[in-house]
Amino acid sequence: MAKSLVVSFGSQAPVGPQHPSLSPNYCHALPPPKPFLSSTLQSPLSLKYDSFTPLLHRRNIRFPAPSALESDVPHPLHEGSVKYGGSKSFEQWDSLTAKFSGASNIPFLLLQMPQIILNARNLLAGNKTALLAVPWLGMFTGLLGNLSLLSYFTKKKENEVIVVQTLGVLSQYVVFAQLALAEAMPLPYFVVTSVVVAAGLILNFMNYFEWLNSGLWRLWEDFITIGGLSALPQIMWSTFVPYIPNSILPGAIAFVIAVAAVIMARLGKLSEKGAKFVGAISGWTATLLFMWMPVSQMWTNFLNPDNIKGLSAFSMLLAMMGNGLMIPRALFIRDFMWFLGSSWASLFYGYGNILCLYCFKAISKEFFFAASTGLFLWIGMALWRDTVVYGYGSPLTSLKELVFGS
C-alpha cells in the first residue's frame, strides 16, 4: 500500500496525483533493506531478526488466519493459516516475498525523486512561483496515509514495508521543506507538519522496539484514526467538485463521528467487535485513501480526455511495478487489507492509466502488451506459488482464506 496521495481541495476536479511516492505506495526508497532485517516468517512479538527464528521453523503449528476486517490485528507468525512445517519451499518463498517487498523501494524512489530534483532546480534558479503548483494540502493528506500505514506495518513487524513507508514519509517531508523555502506553504503549517512527522517517526520507532508506553501509542493511534477518517470523505467529495458544491461538510461530519467513536472506544462503551473495528479504522482509511487515487485519475481522464497525454507512461509503469512487488507478500501472510490496496493500485492506478494511454494512442502497442503480459504473469505466478507452498489444490483456496480467514 506505497505512493503518496496528492489531491487538491480546490474548486476543480483533481488533475490526478502529481507527486507519487508510497505505498499503497499503495505503499511508498533507498536500495532494498539489508537481508538480515526480515528474510523469514516470524512472530510479531519478536524483533524478527534471524537469530530469533530457528525454533519457530522447527514447529508444526496451525494458527487461524484473521478475517478481512481483522487485518489490523497482529497474529502469531503473521497471518499464516496452514501447517507451518518449516518446509524448505515455504521458507524460501517467505524469504523471496520479503525481498520483493523491499525491492519495491526502487520504483517508489524513482517516482518521487524527479519532483524533488525539479523543485531544487527551481529554488536554486530563484523561480519560487513554480512551486506554487504543488498542492501541499493534498500532500499532507497523503502524509497522514503514509504515517497510518507505517503504524499498521510497525505493529506487524513487516520490516521491508516499514522501510518503504518511512522513506515515503521522508521524501514527502523533503517536498514540504522545499515548499516552505519557496513560501508556497505557510510557515505555521510547515511547523505543524514537522511536529507530526517527527512524532510519527519517533513513536513508531519506539513502538517497534517495544520501548513505548501503551498509553502514548493509543494517543497516536487515535490521532491518525481521526485524521484519516476525516480526510477520506472530504477527498472523495472534492473529486467531483464543481459538479457538486464545494463544501467541507463531509470532512466535518466525519471528524465529529471519528472523535465520538474514539472517545466511546476509550471509555469502554463499545462492544469488543466495535472496539476492534475502531482500532482498524486508521489502516483501512489509509488504504481507501490510496485506493481512491485511481478513481480520481480515471474521473479526470473522463472529463478531460485530451489531458491523458500529459501522463507519464513510465511513471504509471513504476507505480504498477512498486505495488505489484508487494502482492506476493501480502497474499503469503494473509493480509487482506495490504493485498487489496496493493492489487488495486497496481491494476487500477498503474495498469489502468497505461490502458487509458493505449486507448488514446499515447503509447505504443509493444509497450502496452509488454506491461500487460508482465503484470498478469506476475500475479499468476504469485497465486500459483502461494498455492504450492501452502499445499492447496487451487489458488481459490488461498484467496478464500485471505478474505474470510480459516
Side-chain angles (χ1 to χ4, degrees):
M1 356 43 276
K3 284 180 316 203
S4 66
L5 188 69
V6 180
V7 180
S8 170
F9 290 94
S11 59
Q12 297 179 355
V15 186
Q18 301 175 15
H19 313 282
S21 70
L22 113 330
S23 200
N25 333 3
Y26 158 71
C27 292
H28 306 299
L30 293 171
K34 295 181 181 179
F36 67 81
L37 284 179
S38 173
S39 60
T40 48
L41 197 62
Q42 300 142 38
S43 168
L45 299 178
S46 75
L47 294 182
K48 280 182 59 176
Y49 295 109
D50 288 345
S51 59
F52 288 91
T53 60
L55 290 177
L56 288 175
H57 287 290
R58 295 191 194 110
R59 300 188 213 170
N60 187 5
I61 306 173
R62 182 182 180 91
F63 288 100
S67 63
L69 289 177
E70 291 180 324
S71 291
D72 182 66
V73 183
H75 287 259
L77 298 177
H78 297 291
E79 284 72 47
S81 58
V82 187
K83 288 182 180 177
Y84 194 74
S87 70
K88 189 175 181 182
S89 63
F90 193 96
E91 293 179 20
Q92 286 176 342
W93 188 235
D94 169 26
S95 176
L96 276 174
T97 55
K99 289 174 182 175
F100 292 151
S101 292
S104 67
N105 281 296
I106 298 173
F108 288 137
L109 179 62
L110 292 174
L111 273 171
Q112 185 72 354
M113 285 306 296
Q115 184 63 48
I116 293 175
I117 294 170
L118 179 62
N119 290 347
R121 285 177 177 170
N122 284 323
L123 283 171
L124 291 172
N127 185 18
K128 294 183 178 181
T129 55
L131 276 75
L132 293 172
V134 181
W136 67 266
L137 186 57
M139 285 194 67
F140 185 77
T141 307
L143 179 68
L144 284 178
N146 277 121
L147 287 170
S148 296
L149 290 173
L150 175 59
S151 300
Y152 173 79
F153 288 113
T154 296
K155 285 192 293 186
K156 296 208 163 194
K157 299 292 195 295
E158 276 292 324
N159 292 328
E160 288 74 17
V161 197
I162 290 172
V163 173
V164 173
Q165 296 299 334
T166 301
L167 292 173
V169 170
L170 293 174
S171 62
Q172 287 186 83
Y173 183 72
V174 170
V175 177
F176 282 123
Q178 292 173 325
L179 295 177
L181 288 172
E183 299 177 354
M185 179 182 187
L187 185 59
Y189 291 108
F190 175 69
V191 172
V192 171
T193 301
S194 301
V195 171
V196 170
V197 168
L201 293 178
I202 292 171
L203 290 173
N204 276 285
F205 176 82
M206 293 179 68
N207 188 60
Y208 179 88
F209 290 105
E210 300 179 4
W211 296 340
L212 188 66
N213 179 278
S214 60
L216 282 176
W217 181 250
R218 281 199 298 271
L219 284 175
W220 170 250
E221 286 195 313
D222 291 344
F223 170 75
I224 58 177
T225 295
I226 293 170
L229 193 56
S230 303
L232 178 61
Q234 187 63 50
I235 286 180
M236 296 172 78
W237 181 275
S238 298
T239 299
F240 302 108
V241 173
Y243 295 94
I244 57 177
N246 191 10
S247 171
I248 63 168
L249 192 60
I253 293 173
F255 174 79
V256 172
I257 293 173
V259 170
V262 165
I263 291 174
M264 289 178 69
R266 295 303 171 225
L267 293 176
K269 302 294 184 182
L270 298 178
S271 65
E272 186 181 347
K273 251 185 190 177
K276 266 188 181 179
F277 178 77
V278 172
I281 285 177
S282 61
W284 277 102
T285 51
T287 300
L288 292 171
L289 280 170
F290 292 120
M291 287 176 67
W292 189 254
M293 289 179 68
V295 177
S296 174
Q297 184 65 62
M298 295 298 178
W299 175 249
T300 302
N301 295 346
F302 173 73
L303 294 177
N304 306 293
D306 291 338
N307 291 350
I308 186 74
K309 295 182 180 179
L311 281 177
S312 166
F314 183 63
S315 294
M316 295 302 106
L317 181 65
L318 287 173
M320 183 185 81
M321 290 171 60
N323 287 287
L325 283 167
M326 296 185 174
I327 292 175
R329 184 66 177 176
L331 177 63
F332 179 67
I333 68 170
R334 300 299 187 259
D335 189 321
F336 177 70
M337 189 184 80
W338 186 12
F339 179 84
L340 180 63
S342 297
S343 301
W344 182 279
S346 188
L347 287 166
F348 291 98
Y349 181 68
Y351 182 72
N353 281 301
I354 289 174
L355 178 60
C356 287
L357 287 166
Y358 175 70
C359 291
F360 285 92
K361 299 181 179 178
I363 57 173
S364 67
K365 182 166 53 173
E366 291 77 15
F367 183 97
F368 172 71
F369 282 108
S372 303
T373 302
L375 177 63
F376 292 110
L377 282 177
W378 177 257
I379 293 174
M381 181 278 298
L383 289 169
W384 166 76
R385 189 63 185 157
D386 188 86
T387 302
V388 170
V389 298
Y390 275 111
Y392 290 144
S394 167
L396 294 177
T397 307
S398 291
L399 292 173
K400 180 182 175 183
E401 188 175 81
L402 173 73
V403 177
F404 301 107
S406 60

